[in-house]
Amino acid sequence: MNKKYFIERKNKLITRAEEIVNKCEEEKRELTEDEAEELAEIRDDVKRIKDALNISDDLDEMKDKAPQTNTEEKKPPMSEAETRALEEEKAFADALRGIVSQNNRAAATNFTDTNSVTIPETIADKIWTKVVDKSPILERSTRYNMKGDLVLPYYDETKDKITVAWSEEFTELESHAGDFTQITLKGYLAGALSLISNKLINNSKFDIVNFVVEQMSDSISEFIENTLLNSSASVDGLKGVTQTITTASATAITADEVIKLKDSIKDVFQNNAIWIMSNATRTALRLLKDSTGRYLLNDDINSAFGTTLLGKDVYVSDNMPEIAAGNNVIYYGDMSGLVTKFSEDEDIQILREKYATMHATGVVAWIEFDAKVADTQAIAKMTMKNQ
């Protein structure tokens, strides 16, 4: 029995039920007949899945208690990479708790001392994988991992472009061409510090490794996403988006403006396009309707983020500005038009002694990255009117 599939299916059903109830609460109304019927179906499906999982658990328990025979299938031996990952995870957990034995040093040779410990490569890879997974903007961007500057040439037809026109014999063709230019991505240093309670660390039953992975990936992902959306003194991020729809009002967005924003992106980029906005902006768009009276924004459990707008997935980011005069409140397009460059090495260390007086342990991560828009046709933004 594929337990993972049934558990994920159960969770999706429960999430859908919560969305229906929350929507009714937000709109201050009773359940419609269709919603009540859907909730009843969800309840029955969840009960059947739970019963199936309970039966599966009972069968597994019976198998565990059954006498072992020589014909029982043996588990294949772990690969060298799997063995190394387990050893380094154990060594890392011990290092967090101040236990660095000779065996653990051998498992993670980059452990220098108990005061400052560099996180093993396998753990750092887990953190970085989760950083990418937690930010769809970063995940969908065109990513490069390399040291030094990255120079990307591209063809710019903003001022002029190659044209084809009817002509007569012995008549000179008029010359037209775009410009070949380039963008350069450098490496700008940023640090993230997370303090972890020593009380948690010293609890032997607490999964301290995964906790550190989650803490650091959350911090790094939030920082990178905020920089990509709002830029910084050094990193441009989506600052280079040139296609703009400016609203007629400084405090409201119309359905026509949303449609114009979507249609400002050429069809070749529409297939992988997504919407990016704040939660408050998404709430405001829930009330918008098209010319036929249909809501533009819809809940969709089959979509990547649970909501679609004009048929495209809506990603809500806490880093997006709210609806206010002059703010860039919505981005739309194919995020592969955004190029991100990271250094090949992520420096993540444990600091034990520095925060000992706080009964805490510090985990610090240093990253080096840059980001710019490489294809201005792929992404557009909606900017609120200045008052």
Side-chain angles (χ1 to χ4, degrees):
M1 179 181 182
N2 189 345
K3 290 185 179 180
K4 181 179 178 182
Y5 168 81
F6 285 102
I7 291 173
E8 290 177 349
R9 175 62 180 161
K10 179 193 69 175
N11 291 339
K12 286 182 179 179
L13 289 169
I14 293 173
T15 299
R16 175 56 182 160
E18 291 174 346
E19 288 174 350
I20 294 173
V21 173
N22 291 338
K23 185 177 181 181
C24 292
E25 291 177 352
E26 290 176 3
E27 298 176 359
K28 297 180 179 180
R29 59 174 176 80
E30 300 292 331
L31 290 168
T32 65
E33 184 176 347
D34 290 341
E35 289 171 335
E37 183 177 346
E38 184 177 357
L39 283 175
E41 292 176 357
I42 290 174
R43 179 195 60 201
D44 294 338
D45 289 341
V46 169
K47 184 178 183 302
R48 282 193 291 269
I49 292 173
K50 286 183 176 180
D51 290 341
L53 290 172
N54 288 335
I55 292 173
S56 177
D57 290 340
D58 291 340
L59 290 174
D60 289 341
E61 186 177 352
M62 292 171 62
K63 289 179 182 178
D64 291 339
K65 292 180 179 180
Q68 301 296 315
T69 65
N70 294 331
T71 59
E72 183 181 14
E73 183 179 353
K74 295 182 179 180
K75 292 183 179 180
M78 289 190 297
S79 66
E80 183 178 342
E82 291 173 329
T83 301
R84 179 191 173 197
L86 285 175
E87 289 176 348
E88 289 195 348
E89 185 171 322
K90 173 64 166 57
F92 178 54
D94 285 348
L96 278 170
R97 296 186 169 102
I99 307 170
V100 185
S101 65
Q102 290 300 318
N103 290 335
N104 287 339
R105 288 181 184 274
T109 55
N110 52 356
F111 282 10
T112 55
D113 55 60
T114 57
N115 296 331
S116 177
V117 178
T118 301
I119 293 182
E121 182 181 347
T122 53
I123 305 298
D125 286 345
K126 281 185 180 182
I127 293 175
W128 187 244
T129 299
K130 284 186 174 288
V131 166
V132 175
D133 290 343
K134 289 178 179 181
S135 176
I137 305 168
L138 175 58
E139 179 188 17
R140 293 167 184 244
S141 69
T142 301
R143 301 192 305 277
Y144 293 89
N145 294 316
M146 59 175 290
K147 294 180 179 178
D149 292 353
L150 171 64
V151 179
L152 294 175
Y154 70 95
Y155 188 62
D156 184 9
E157 293 187 336
T158 304
K159 297 179 180 179
D160 198 4
K161 63 180 179 179
I162 298 174
T163 59
V164 178
W166 298 108
S167 180
E168 299 290 341
E169 285 184 303
F170 308 109
T171 302
E172 289 285 348
L173 289 173
E174 187 177 352
S175 175
H176 294 276
D179 295 325
F180 278 98
T181 184
Q182 64 187 30
I183 62 172
T184 302
L185 284 88
K186 299 181 178 293
Y188 297 100
L189 193 64
L193 173 64
S194 178
L195 293 183
I196 305 169
S197 165
N198 283 346
K199 186 175 181 180
L200 287 178
I201 291 176
N202 295 330
N203 185 343
S204 60
K205 295 182 180 180
F206 186 72
D207 188 351
I208 189 61
V209 173
N210 280 332
F211 180 78
V212 169
V213 170
E214 291 293 332
Q215 283 279 93
M216 294 309 301
S217 60
D218 280 344
S219 299
I220 298 171
S221 178
E222 182 179 0
F223 175 83
I224 291 176
E225 185 169 290
N226 179 58
T227 303
L228 296 179
L229 291 173
N230 301 305
S231 74
S232 70
S234 304
V235 180
D236 287 349
L238 290 174
K239 181 180 179 180
V241 172
T242 57
Q243 298 187 89
T244 306
I245 299 296
T246 303
T247 60
S249 167
T251 57
I253 301 171
T254 67
D256 288 350
E257 290 165 345
V258 174
I259 294 171
K260 287 179 181 178
L261 180 62
K262 182 175 188 293
D263 287 347
S264 67
I265 298 298
K266 293 182 178 180
D267 287 355
V268 68
F269 299 108
Q270 291 284 353
N271 189 44
N272 296 315
I274 62 171
W275 300 91
I276 305 170
M277 63 189 71
S278 71
N279 185 63
T281 301
R282 182 180 64 176
T283 300
L285 297 189
R286 283 187 182 278
L287 304 178
L288 298 183
K289 298 180 181 179
D290 61 17
S291 57
T292 63
R294 296 176 301 181
Y295 285 105
L296 299 184
L297 193 147
N298 298 283
D299 292 322
D300 183 357
I301 60 174
N302 295 317
S303 68
F305 315 115
T307 314
T308 59
L309 176 61
L310 297 175
K312 297 298 179 179
D313 294 336
V314 177
Y315 173 62
V316 169
S317 173
D318 292 336
N319 296 299
M320 279 296 291
E322 305 291 344
I323 294 177
N327 283 351
N328 298 322
V329 293
I330 302 176
Y331 284 103
Y332 175 75
D334 185 344
M335 292 301 120
S336 66
L338 174 68
V339 176
T340 53
K341 185 193 80 73
F342 293 85
S343 171
E344 292 178 321
D345 302 319
E346 293 80 36
D347 183 11
I348 307 175
Q349 293 185 328
I350 304 169
L351 306 177
R352 291 183 53 80
E353 296 299 327
K354 183 173 182 179
Y355 301 100
T357 56
M358 299 172 61
H359 197 62
T361 296
V363 180
V364 63
W366 292 99
I367 55 174
E368 187 178 310
F369 80 105
D370 195 5
K372 289 184 179 179
V373 174
D375 194 336
T376 56
Q377 299 182 86
I379 308 170
K381 65 183 178 182
M382 178 173 289
T383 303
M384 302 303 296
K385 175 186 176 183
N386 273 317
Q387 289 181 334

